[in-house]
Amino acid sequence: MNFQEISRQLRKNGHKVTPQRMAIIQTVLGSTELLTPSSIFEKVKKTDPGVGEVTVYRTLNILESLGMVCVVHTDEKTHSYISCPTEHHDHLICSDCGKVVNFTHCDLGTLEKRLTAESGFNINDHRLDFYGRCEKCDRKQCKAKTPAEIRTHRESCH
Amino acid sequence: MNFQEISRQLRKNGHKVTPQRMAIIQTVLGSTELLTPSSIFEKVKKTDPGVGEVTVYRTLNILESLGMVCVVHTDEKTHSYISCPTEHHDHLICSDCGKVVNFTHCDLGTLEKRLTAESGFNINDHRLDFYGRCEKCDRKQCKAKTPAEIRTHRESCH
DNA sequence: GAGCTAATTGACAATAAGTTTCATTTACTA
DNA sequence: TAGTAAATGAAACTTATTGTCAATTAGCTC
Ligand SMILES: [Zn+2]
Ligand SMILES: [Zn+2]
Ligand SMILES: [Zn+2]
Ligand SMILES: [Zn+2]
């Protein structure tokens, strides 16, 4: 998604196009990694020092309401966000570097039917996250364990 | 799981068996609903007023480390917990009343192989949550929308 | 292009979940 | 029935996120 399209999406939904907002959005949508509000703030600060952290939170809420990012739950105490397609999709998440691959054909129809029959639930949605190592990290056999080690590894990875 | 087995599990893992701990554990393991630390605290307080909220947090951490509960991520800002089997399982969650059904045969082998081939990921785990209405709530066609309405509905439901 | 207006911004304060600290109590062991 | 390490509750603390508000600004109207 380019500058033009994003601007159009924002205006269509009653949001103004501000430089702070665009800086944050370009950073988030241009990344394939899991991002936290504070990591987004740090990234954006490098090129646009005038952007406040609160604006990051506010912009993430807009992106979420437009279905352009989704929240991924990790073991961390903060929310993580990832750029994603607006249609139904699920995730493959690299537990080493935080890379996320969105995939769109989960084919859970058979399972869903079975569970409906067994449980009586009227199912209308699901969330499926796979965890593992991306190709790059799997080759490296990274041994990072502590948060600090993981941070260093991620920086060396991207 | 009864009192005896729980006590044995605790001692086996180096934890003491205290009345506060047992009160909390019986409440959590005896429920099929999603519970938050604070809802557990409220429930336990009725029968055992001497139990502190911090002990609820500490006990939940123990139960999690023993694989007897798992964390379910909801839209709420607090963690929710549900009693669960120690082997691999996934969840069916009722978005009306918070009831959770654990199921143990997800059969994601084929999908996992396909994704491994397509993405190069070395997958080692996953999390699958289905959302919908349980049989009871589906019949009731509950219209609760606000947090307060949902709370009232849940109380009437159990 | 100038002016209008409501949305947006950043600084700061406020909130709330969860954790840490610590003096006191208690469960297990021998 | 000691002895000892673990557990407890109260209170202080930390940290992510939200609310408030005066100043600024985007986008519309002329
Ligand atoms: Zn990776
Ligand atoms: Zn899916
Ligand atoms: Zn229900
Ligand atoms: Zn599964």
Side-chain angles (χ1 to χ4, degrees), chain A residues 54-123:
Chain A
V54 188
T55 303
V56 173
Y57 281 97
R58 292 192 273 230
T59 305
L60 284 171
N61 286 341
I62 292 175
L63 288 177
E64 206 188 341
S65 76
L66 299 181
M68 288 157 77
V69 299
C70 59
V71 179
V72 175
H73 301 286
T74 68
D75 292 340
E76 312 295 308
K77 50 212 158 267
T78 77
H79 286 161
S80 290
Y81 293 84
I82 184 69
S83 171
C84 68
T86 48
E87 70 262 26
H88 174 77
H89 65 278
D90 298 290
H91 306 118
L92 271 159
I93 303 165
C94 176
S95 34
D96 274 11
C97 71
K99 181 181 176 177
V100 175
V101 172
N102 300 297
F103 66 94
T104 47
H105 292 91
C106 52
D107 299 327
L108 295 183
T110 309
L111 177 58
E112 193 174 310
K113 278 202 198 73
R114 195 196 93 203
L115 292 170
T116 300
E118 282 176 17
S119 68
F121 263 64
N122 184 351
I123 296 170

Side-chain angles (χ1 to χ4, degrees), chain B residues 15-16 18 20-21 50-52 54-55 58:
Chain B
H15 303 292
K16 291 182 176 174
T18 68
Q20 295 95 329
R21 210 164 256 181
V51 177
V54 189
T55 304
R58 291 192 273 231

